[in-house]
Amino acid sequence: MITYAEVEFILYECHSLKDKRSVLKRIQNRLTKQLNVAIAEIDYQDLWQRSKFAIVTVTTTVELGEQMMQQACKIIDSFTEIERTITNVEIK
C-alpha cells in the first residue's frame, strides 16, 4: 500500500528563508530518521512563513500506513515553532 500525505503548516517564528530552511531541514531529518519516509517540500518555497510537505511511505497494510502518517503528524506537531493547518492523506 502507498500512503501519501500533504501537510501544510505555518512557521510563525521564521523571519527569512534561511530561518525557514533550518526549521524544515530539522523536521525532514527527524521524519526520515525515525520513520524512514520520503518527504519533500512541494509548495510555498518563496514564502518564509508557510510551507507544504508531501510525505510518502510504502507499507504492507492500510493500517500500518495510517499509523505511519499519524506518527509523522505527531512528530511535526512536536515542533513548537510551527502550526500544522491542513493535512490530506490518501491511501492507494
Side-chain angles (χ1 to χ4, degrees):
M1 297 276 127
I2 298 172
T3 308
Y4 171 80
E6 289 185 359
V7 181
E8 285 190 41
F9 46 89
I10 298 171
L11 300 101
Y12 290 112
E13 297 179 16
C14 293
H15 301 290
S16 68
L17 288 173
K18 187 176 181 180
D19 290 343
K20 176 184 174 182
R21 278 193 307 271
S22 72
V23 172
L24 296 182
K25 195 66 167 168
R26 285 189 295 127
I27 294 170
Q28 287 176 321
N29 287 340
R30 187 171 300 166
L31 286 171
T32 55
K33 186 176 181 179
Q34 291 184 359
L35 299 178
N36 196 21
V37 295
I39 183 169
E41 184 180 15
I42 60 170
D43 207 355
Y44 312 116
Q45 285 92 348
D46 324 359
L47 304 177
W48 45 271
Q49 285 192 318
R50 193 167 179 198
S51 186
K52 187 175 191 177
F53 274 165
I55 304 170
V56 179
T57 187
V58 178
T59 58
T60 55
T61 64
V62 173
E63 293 80 17
L64 187 58
E66 289 175 351
Q67 288 175 356
M68 294 279 285
M69 288 306 154
Q70 287 175 356
Q71 289 175 337
C73 288
K74 285 182 185 178
I75 291 171
I76 291 170
D77 290 342
S78 72
F79 287 85
T80 58
E81 57 264 44
I82 66 168
E83 177 185 352
R84 185 167 49 96
T85 56
I86 300 171
T87 304
N88 296 318
V89 178
E90 293 181 23
I91 300 173
K92 297 182 181 188

